Amino acid sequence: MDEKGGAASTPRLSTVARSLAALTLAGLAASPAYAQSNVTLYGSLDGGLRNLVNGTKAGGAALTMASNGVYNSNRWGFLGKEDLGGGYYVRFNLEAGYVLSTGALNNTNNQIFQRTSVVGIGGPFGQIDMGRQFTLQHYVVKDFEPFDFQYLSITESTAISGGDTGRDSNAINYRGIFGPWVVRGTYALGGVPGSVANGSTLAGGLNYRTETFKLGAAYTHRSNPLTATSSQYFGSDQYTAGGAVTVGPVDLMGGYSLVLQDVPSTLHSQTRNQYLWGGARYQVTPFFNVTAAYYDNKNKTNGLDGRKDVAILGVVYLLSKRTQLYADVDYTHFTGVYVTNATLNPSGHSKQTGVSAGINHWF
């Protein structure tokens, strides 16, 4: 029917349709064959509450909604891939973080895609990505991190990964999969005028994977600028190793990482940071799992010792493939100079107990 209620002009519409079809076929015949490509929008929303006893300087409990998620980091992003044929492809990934409670960016420097911003190419040789991305340490450790980088504000996983919140900017990352072996390499440009080494990162690593065992090791060297404009820099070396074993529905895993860093104030002494962790993950049913882990960080700087121990027990229940409920209870103990370290321990209390619960949805 037309707008006045009368019969529509069927012959005219048929003529137009045939003309459009002919033009479309002609265009397809004249166009070259392009590779297939796709873009995926994805994200995570984590609405959780956390109560931390001794979470304030006065000693009271602090009830909060974590700015970037309790269990999972709040994020959204684009993942794209173009098939070039012959097993080759081009990919990109842009990922941003946000604060669920306010909708703001989860950083103060207005970096939209501060989580990931890469473009890369892959094929039979492996995959090369360029841009801001997770550190090589992160990818190696992922195979034997008990919580698979969940509860990042509680565990020591971000510190173990190193870099800027577990990421490197200006990074060129290589990954090659050869049977059970995964070969990794990273070079991150420093971007300091007049110096190739200043501010740069060089890392290499290996993962070995079977259905029962997962092993990994990595080495990272960082040349950290003394100041933003200084031509001087100080070195940092990180050595990491760990593994996991699967026995039925249970995964047992553990790891060790040692960071030796020159002290910028003197450039003649070192800070020694030692990380040790272990845990177990039990898949009780396809919908319910329990994970327990322990993290230990020992620090020694100029003869002063600090230590942070974290014990955590978490449960997850899947409501669907994309929605899950979670809860945890954790205990953190600070000793030595860590008790008064305002960055690591804002409340200043040596012993803190936390309880968290919430819902996480993926899209």
Side-chain angles (χ1 to χ4, degrees):
M1 303 290 287
D2 62 15
E3 292 181 350
K4 296 181 179 180
S9 179
T10 303
R12 178 176 176 81
L13 287 177
S14 298
T15 301
V16 173
R18 284 196 297 269
S19 299
L20 289 174
L23 288 172
T24 301
L25 291 174
L28 290 174
S31 300
Y34 289 101
Q36 291 185 343
S37 62
N38 61 77
V39 177
T40 301
L41 172 65
Y42 67 92
S44 172
L45 300 93
D46 186 292
L49 297 177
R50 176 164 173 77
N51 189 68
L52 184 63
V53 178
N54 281 339
T56 66
K57 289 185 177 296
L63 179 63
T64 60
M65 180 181 293
S67 62
N68 197 29
V70 179
Y71 176 75
N72 227 339
S73 298
N74 291 313
R75 71 195 77 167
W76 67 275
F78 298 100
L79 183 64
K81 186 175 182 180
E82 181 183 18
D83 184 2
L84 302 178
Y88 292 88
Y89 59 88
V90 173
R91 67 181 295 270
F92 76 86
N93 189 190
L94 298 172
E95 186 174 291
Y98 63 92
V99 179
L100 183 71
S101 57
T102 65
L105 292 175
N106 72 332
N107 62 84
T108 58
N109 52 10
N110 290 322
Q111 284 181 266
I112 297 179
F113 296 113
Q114 89 288 4
R115 291 183 56 85
T116 303
S117 178
V118 300
V119 63
I121 186 169
F125 65 90
Q127 180 174 296
I128 298 176
D129 288 323
M130 301 178 68
R132 179 171 172 81
Q133 52 198 301
F134 285 115
T135 64
L136 182 142
Q137 291 281 149
H138 172 98
Y139 290 116
V140 170
V141 168
K142 190 173 174 65
D143 277 358
F144 43 90
E145 207 294 294
F147 279 96
D148 194 22
F149 290 99
Q150 318 295 351
Y151 295 112
L152 288 178
S153 62
I154 303 170
T155 71
E156 289 292 282
S157 301
T158 299
I160 294 167
S161 295
D164 172 19
T165 63
R167 295 168 178 82
D168 287 322
S169 295
N170 305 309
I172 304 169
N173 183 283
Y174 170 76
R175 183 199 68 188
I177 301 176
F178 307 97
W181 293 96
V182 183
V183 180
R184 305 182 187 276
T186 293
Y187 174 65
L189 286 70
V192 178
S195 175
V196 175
N198 198 349
S200 67
T201 297
L202 187 64
L206 285 172
N207 285 101
Y208 177 79
R209 298 168 175 167
T210 68
E211 291 186 1
T212 303
F213 295 101
K214 292 181 180 179
L215 302 173
Y219 167 74
T220 298
H221 175 76
R222 298 183 182 277
S223 300
N224 303 303
L226 191 59
T227 65
T229 58
S230 174
S231 60
Q232 289 184 294
Y233 57 90
F234 58 98
S236 172
D237 296 288
Q238 183 171 7
Y239 308 86
T240 301
V245 58
T246 299
V247 183
V250 177
D251 294 317
L252 302 174
M253 57 201 72
Y256 173 86
S257 188
L258 176 64
V259 182
L260 301 175
Q261 177 175 292
D262 294 334
V263 179
S265 59
T266 64
L267 298 181
H268 297 296
S269 60
Q270 279 190 328
T271 292
R272 177 187 175 94
N273 252 317
Q274 175 183 288
Y275 300 92
L276 180 69
W277 69 95
R281 189 184 305 146
Y282 177 31
Q283 193 68 44
V284 183
T285 73
F287 311 101
F288 179 68
N289 70 70
V290 180
T291 304
Y294 170 79
Y295 301 83
D296 176 67
N297 168 221
K298 294 180 182 179
N299 177 282
K300 182 184 291 291
T301 304
N302 290 333
L304 299 177
D305 295 339
R307 186 170 182 176
K308 177 183 179 182
D309 297 296
V310 179
I312 175 173
L313 175 68
V315 296
V316 174
Y317 180 78
L318 297 178
L319 296 177
S320 69
K321 291 183 179 180
R322 296 181 178 274
T323 305
Q324 54 193 3
L325 302 176
Y326 64 85
D328 99 281
V329 58
D330 54 84
Y331 174 77
T332 301
H333 185 203
F334 295 96
T335 57
V337 295
Y338 272 8
V339 177
T340 56
N341 187 312
T343 301
L344 295 175
N345 184 22
S347 73
H349 294 281
S350 62
K351 298 178 181 180
Q352 300 168 16
T353 302
V355 178
S356 311
I359 183 171
N360 181 231
H361 176 75
W362 284 92
F363 65 87

